[in-house]
């Protein structure tokens, strides 16, 4: 019986998220009511409230659902043996995965919610996910440094966060334009890194990216 209840709960949760995703895409967060989500999912408004409390709670779970699957995909895709290609693939994979799970219009609503309520639950969940993604990139760069593909003098955490924030800026551009593709994101990141690493940094900050290796 416990297993049946768990499956039923999981099924209701999935239906609520799928209903919310469809309605957010069509009407926006502000134009969607909890009752609309409940009707679309075939459950009661009380059930939606008990599972997620608010529309913000639903939006948080859509983002978390997206990024938990993304980490698995990144592990499979980001196997490059140099910083340059790793960073480009990291950015491309994030862009591709994002729009395979949520349309750009919903991502714009997520970013707007984070911007306008930067101390709220949505922002907290969004930034927690960002920290996980940045941590993934940092660990990959740490492995490159261990294999002498990134200079031992480089602060891996600072470098990883810098590249992650650059990716984030390009991601926002990506979701704000219906015309941009993941290939465009990858090319822009490639251009960014090429321009930055073409500048001769101080000896202590040099990064050996070995783009041809």
């Amino acid at each position: 019986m416990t297993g049946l209840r768990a499956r039923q709960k999981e099924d209701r949760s999935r239906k609520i998220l799928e209903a919310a995703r469809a309605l957010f895409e069509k009407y926006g967060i502000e134009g969607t009511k909890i009752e609309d989500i409940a009707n679309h999912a075939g459950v009661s408004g009380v059930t939606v409230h008990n599972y997620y409390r608010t529309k913000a709670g639903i939006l948080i779970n859509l983002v978390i659902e997206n990024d938990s699957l993304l980490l698995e995909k990144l592990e499979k895709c980001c196997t490059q043996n140099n910083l340059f290609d790793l960073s480009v693939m990291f950015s491309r994979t994030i862009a591709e995965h994002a729009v395979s799970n949520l349309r750009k219009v919903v991502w714009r609503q997520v970013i707007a919610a984070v911007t306008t309520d930067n101390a709220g639950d949505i922002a907290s969940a969004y930034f927690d996910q960002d920290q996980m993604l940045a941590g993934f990139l940092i660990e990959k760069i740490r492995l490159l440094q261990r294999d002498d593909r990134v200079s031992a003098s480089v602060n891996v955490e600072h470098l990883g966060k810098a590249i992650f924030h650059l990716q984030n800026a390009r991601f926002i551009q990506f979701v704000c334009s219906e015309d941009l593709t993941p290939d465009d994101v990858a090319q822009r990141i490639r251009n960014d890194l090429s321009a930055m690493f073409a500048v001769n940094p101080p000896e202590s900050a040099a990064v050996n990216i070995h783009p041809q290796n």
Side-chain angles (χ1 to χ4, degrees):
M1 183 65 72
T2 301
L4 175 61
R5 287 200 189 98
R7 288 195 298 274
Q8 289 174 336
K9 183 176 181 179
E10 183 178 343
D11 184 59
R12 284 192 293 268
S13 175
R14 178 182 54 79
K15 287 180 178 178
I16 291 168
L17 290 181
E18 288 177 353
R21 191 196 319 265
L23 294 172
F24 289 165
E25 289 176 358
K26 190 171 183 178
Y27 301 111
I29 296 173
E30 294 301 321
T32 301
K33 299 178 181 179
I34 289 290
E35 291 78 10
D36 299 329
I37 296 171
N39 290 336
H40 202 80
V43 299
S44 70
V46 172
T47 299
V48 176
H49 177 79
N50 288 342
Y51 276 57
Y52 297 110
R53 289 184 18 225
T54 63
K55 288 186 292 183
I58 296 172
L59 195 62
I60 289 168
N61 278 273
L62 286 173
V63 172
I64 291 173
E65 178 186 65
N66 174 81
D67 282 353
S68 62
L69 297 171
L70 173 57
L71 286 172
E72 296 177 13
K73 188 172 289 187
L74 287 170
E75 281 290 354
K76 294 178 182 178
C77 295
C78 295
T79 58
Q80 292 69 28
N81 63 4
N82 66 77
L83 179 63
F84 193 94
D85 290 339
L86 169 66
S87 302
V88 171
M89 180 55 71
F90 179 78
S91 301
R92 181 198 295 273
T93 303
I94 288 175
E96 287 178 341
H97 182 78
V99 292
S100 73
N101 286 275
L102 295 173
R103 287 179 55 194
K104 288 185 178 184
V105 63
V106 178
W107 280 112
R108 291 195 288 271
Q109 294 170 57
V110 170
I111 292 169
V114 170
T115 303
T116 56
D117 187 27
N118 62 10
D121 290 342
I122 295 178
S124 177
Y126 187 86
F127 292 136
D128 284 347
Q129 297 300 306
D130 267 8
Q131 287 296 314
M132 282 197 290
L133 293 175
F136 171 89
L137 183 59
I138 289 167
E139 287 309 307
K140 288 295 183 180
I141 296 173
R142 203 181 305 281
L143 291 176
L144 293 180
Q145 189 178 59
R146 182 199 66 185
D147 294 338
D148 198 30
R149 294 182 179 277
V150 171
S151 171
S153 64
V154 168
N155 184 309
V156 169
E157 186 167 348
H158 291 173
L159 176 61
K161 286 183 177 179
I163 295 174
F164 179 76
H165 291 316
L166 174 62
Q167 176 278 141
N168 246 354
R170 290 304 189 187
F171 178 78
I172 291 173
Q173 286 183 328
F174 170 65
V175 298
C176 286
S177 170
E178 293 295 336
D179 295 329
L180 291 178
T181 67
D183 284 343
D184 294 324
V185 173
Q187 186 58 55
R188 291 183 180 196
I189 290 290
R190 187 177 293 277
N191 293 344
D192 292 336
L193 295 177
S194 296
M196 287 191 296
F197 290 126
V199 176
N200 293 322
E203 183 74 24
S204 61
V207 179
N208 300 323
I209 60 173
H210 307 302
Q212 302 304 318
N213 291 349

